Amino acid sequence: MLFNSYEFLFLFLPLVLLGYYGLLLQKRLRLPFLTVASYLFYGWWDYRFCSLMLISTLIDYVAGKRIGASGDKRIRRRWLTLSIVSNLSLLGFFKYFDLAARTLNHAFSFFGAAEPFIPLLHIVLPVGISFYTFQSMSYSLDIYLGAAKPARSFTDFACYVALYPQLIAGPIVRYRDLAAQLVERTHTLAKFSLGITFFVLGLAKKVILADGVAPLVAPAFEQAAPGVFTAWTGLLAYAMQIYFDFSGYSDMAIGLGLMLGFRMPQNFNSPYKAVSITDFWRRWHISLSSWLRDYLYIPLGGSRLGPGRTYVNLFLTMLLGGLWHGANWTFVLWGGYHGVLLALERASGKRGLMPRAPLAMRRAATFLLVLFGWVLFRAGSLAQVAAMFRGLFGLNGPGGLIRAQIDATPLPYLLLLVTLAMAFAARNTWEIKWKNSWGLALFLAGLFIVCVATILVNTSSPFLYFQF
Amino acid sequence: MDSLDEKERSWSQGRARAYAVLAVVGAVWMIGLVMDWYLRFAWFRWQQRLVFRPTSVRTMAQPPDLYVTNWLPERRGGDLTRLVGLQSFSERFEQVRPAGQQIVDGAGFRNLPAPPDLAHPIVVVGDSFMAAGEPMTNMFPLRLAELSGLPVYNRAMAGVGPFLSLVRFVDSDRFKNRRPRIMVWGFIEREAVRHGFSGMVYQLDIRDRGVKPAEQYELSATATRVVWPELAPQTLKQSLPDTSVLAQFSYRLWSRLRYALFGMITPDVYVSSGEVEGHRLLFLRRKMKVYAVDTQELNLADVTDAVRYTSEFLARRGVRLVVVLIPDKESVYRELMPAHEQQAPALPLSSLDDLETHIRAEGVPVVNLLPTFRERAKRGELLYWADDTHWNERGIQLAAEETWKVVADLLHENEGKLPP
């Protein structure tokens, strides 16, 4: 279930908190309880997905234990390989099989094959599989690298993998960051209050801002020839939607973690204020970029093997990072685009591409580059990418309105202005230095009411059929 | 993570206010939570869907011939004005339904009192178009009875669609003991989608193969149990508008705000660009969405197959099926739609003409009301309530007349061939 749903806010969360704090005064029951609750949370989509997560968990638990217990480098390596191969196979099969099959069929038909060579399986992508396989893999990697010790028990580890706050959309908490907290963590009212604050602010980012500007996005990306106004509002709206959606979800996860006593790492740090693409990747989805840095870029050699190899490593890391986002070549293109930009910045030295330009201009230029990247990210096909760029550069003319725009209130446009102001001028959730006070409490309560009302309005368009 | 530590430390200081956020947000959340779930059970009786009790299953025994008369007061407004939910807006469209009496028989259908052993040669099944009328004298079955001079039994069910009504009737004792000669089955254009028909064929097929329907329905119905699928995300979400005070309150509030701030009503309803008999009409957009987005849904071959199967199923039991195709208000008054609605690409005027051709080709008697309704509409006649998706007195009368033309021929041609 999603955090911004009735069943989570009004069924799952209260029951879990009640169980966690009320019924389970026996502290050693808390992790098993959380594990079961997290599997329920996950199984809500489709109970069959739970077995996948369990398999991934089991393999990594055993591999981690063996790696930790053995002093023999070869054995350690063998178990690490098993862990990585099995996780990547799970991910590869469920996420990328159809893409690979389609691509190969396409290639074979190019060489004259009449029939599709590999049948498409139309696999339903298990929610969050990209997140939990990476998280689960980080366990065996951390033990192999000596950054963590094997988990105390299977329950501890299963709880770490399945922990519902970060299960489906991150942050990708590495095992080394959570290991100590699984054994010992504190539960204080201050922590719980802070958790509520993060959760409500994250909920508002997602429900009011991200969902609020969303109606502007589809008309731009789904038209064959979007006009210049539609294309730019659509693209800006998408940039705001993806940021507030994703960072809102991360804030909610951090808030929910705090309510259970866990501290999770920051995932977004005002990415649109970045002054270069390198800076952008230090601020955007930090848990993923640091995961890729530690477990992919550095093992590939990082920047230790000379400049040429560094550029290749950067490019490869971003290419794979792009592919991680989804099974479509547009994501690979997006990753490659960022890889090239990163390599270019690296080549131009530490001071970046425009060292003498004023800060505002560097920010604007970076944002523009990021925006062009989002076109690749959001478009479903290369044809759509082309249509969108034509629209952005005014080659489609001013363009007309479509039904979705006629029906829409002016609210999304107002919200777009609000989100732009917030992304560029306001402090982010982590920078705000609010004190716990009655004023803040009333503000959050009001925000929470607006969010719940918005969720209910969006999910409950009246069902007219009952009258027929 | 240091930053979180810091925040937490600073929040632990200042004892008096340390609990502020927790207390206020927690209280708001708890009040919403407890109130909504309490009312869901106490007021909306959601538990009747969530918990299955064998005793709550209606037995299929012959209901007592008991008639209940309800007096309905004068009412204003229809389902579309209710959907908009804005008094100040709806007033301009609302029409008055006169007060009148509503008689319901022992099985819950709107029929006038009749001797218990009276045989009805014609039975009407279908949805609210066939079942209901405002007031009762404006009902399709009654009009058909007037025209034919024969007793017509109303078995149509409002609120559950046209399929269940037919299947339930086939299961009833009335069908076994006092079989009609003609069954008039009407459904509205927007219901002519594949899945509803396939479901009905499945149900009829079970009966054809001799499996007792009661066993099918009540196979696992011997003990009280929780119906877990009611908690599944999609089902729970769909139940919210009907069972959650918070959802209803939020929806109304947003409707008012949208109207007050932007002068806009719900995008599901829109206003006609012209007038009929001095009324501007409200239209339902849902239909347009279905047709524009999901033309696959309307698979004519599947629908026709299902109709043919149903007709054969009934013919084996000595009953002739007559299908009545009821056009949507939006199809009949298409010219009154705003320009951007009309130009929706590749939208057929209506699917009913095609459907009629297909069904006729299978040899099933069919009444397509679209041409007559279109013709009358062009003459400026109002055949539907301005504020409702349903037809009005004149629409019902016209439908009954058109149906009677077909039914009369069938009765005449089958004279003596069918059991009385």
Side-chain angles (χ1 to χ4, degrees), chain A residues 32-245:
Chain A
F33 173 75
L34 271 186
T35 314
V36 172
S38 298
Y39 270 83
L40 267 176
F41 173 85
Y42 191 51
W44 201 268
W45 272 283
D46 193 330
Y47 63 94
R48 292 168 300 179
F49 293 166
C50 288
S51 56
L52 275 182
M53 189 159 73
L54 190 64
I55 290 170
S56 176
T57 309
L58 271 170
I59 292 172
D60 283 306
Y61 179 69
V62 174
K65 217 167 180 99
R66 293 295 162 91
I67 295 169
S70 170
D72 186 343
K73 205 169 175 189
R74 273 186 324 182
I75 295 178
R76 287 164 64 89
R77 224 190 168 97
R78 204 174 294 155
W79 280 102
L80 180 69
T81 314
L82 176 84
S83 154
I84 291 175
V85 167
S86 55
N87 275 302
L88 290 183
S89 310
L90 270 184
L91 190 59
F93 180 73
F94 282 95
K95 196 164 178 175
Y96 301 110
F97 181 87
D98 278 358
L99 173 72
R102 253 198 310 273
T103 309
L104 283 175
N105 288 341
H106 205 72
F108 286 128
S109 74
F110 189 71
F111 290 111
E115 301 237 324
F117 193 67
I118 308 169
L120 296 184
L121 297 181
H122 301 290
I123 300 162
V124 180
L125 181 68
V127 187
I129 189 170
S130 321
F131 286 91
Y132 69 74
T133 46
F134 265 43
Q135 196 156 307
S136 180
M137 249 192 297
S138 84
Y139 171 72
S140 21
L141 279 161
D142 275 351
I143 295 173
Y144 182 80
L145 297 171
K149 288 197 179 103
R152 179 170 66 151
S153 71
F154 179 70
T155 333
D156 278 16
F157 181 61
C159 184
Y160 155 73
V161 176
L163 202 60
Y164 73 84
Q166 40 74 25
L167 176 60
I168 46 165
I172 305 170
V173 190
R174 285 176 297 177
Y175 184 70
R176 61 175 89 153
D177 294 337
L178 220 57
Q181 297 184 51
L182 287 166
V183 179
E184 189 63 55
R185 60 191 179 282
T186 56
H187 302 88
T188 63
L189 283 170
K191 211 174 195 175
F192 201 95
S193 292
L194 196 58
I196 292 179
T197 310
F198 264 98
F199 182 78
V200 174
L201 291 177
L203 190 66
K205 278 161 97 173
K206 158 78 186 141
V207 169
I208 301 174
L209 300 179
D211 292 353
V213 298
L216 301 175
V217 178
F221 279 91
E222 279 156 27
Q223 267 183 73
V228 67
F229 175 75
T230 311
W232 277 105
T233 41
L235 183 56
L236 280 174
Y238 184 61
M240 294 303 129
Q241 185 197 0
I242 191 170
Y243 168 54
F244 283 101
D245 190 291

Side-chain angles (χ1 to χ4, degrees), chain A residues 392-409:
Chain A
L392 290 174
F393 290 109
L395 299 175
N396 291 334
L401 293 176
I402 62 169
R403 163 91 57 65
Q405 288 164 314
I406 293 165
D407 282 347
T409 62

Side-chain angles (χ1 to χ4, degrees), chain B residues 400-413:
Chain B
E401 284 168 12
E402 291 297 306
T403 309
W404 173 235
K405 285 180 196 164
V406 174
V407 173
D409 284 350
L410 284 177
L411 283 173
H412 187 67
E413 124 198 351

Side-chain angles (χ1 to χ4, degrees), chain B residues 62-96:
Chain B
Q62 168 79 19
D65 281 309
L66 178 80
Y67 289 85
V68 179
T69 306
N70 300 314
W71 283 93
L72 295 184
E74 182 183 283
R75 290 188 306 124
R76 298 176 66 86
D79 56 9
L80 290 176
T81 45
R82 277 198 290 281
L83 188 63
V84 173
L86 293 163
Q87 191 54 37
S88 54
F89 172 85
S90 299
E91 274 169 359
R92 288 186 273 149
F93 301 91
E94 280 173 353
Q95 291 182 286
V96 178

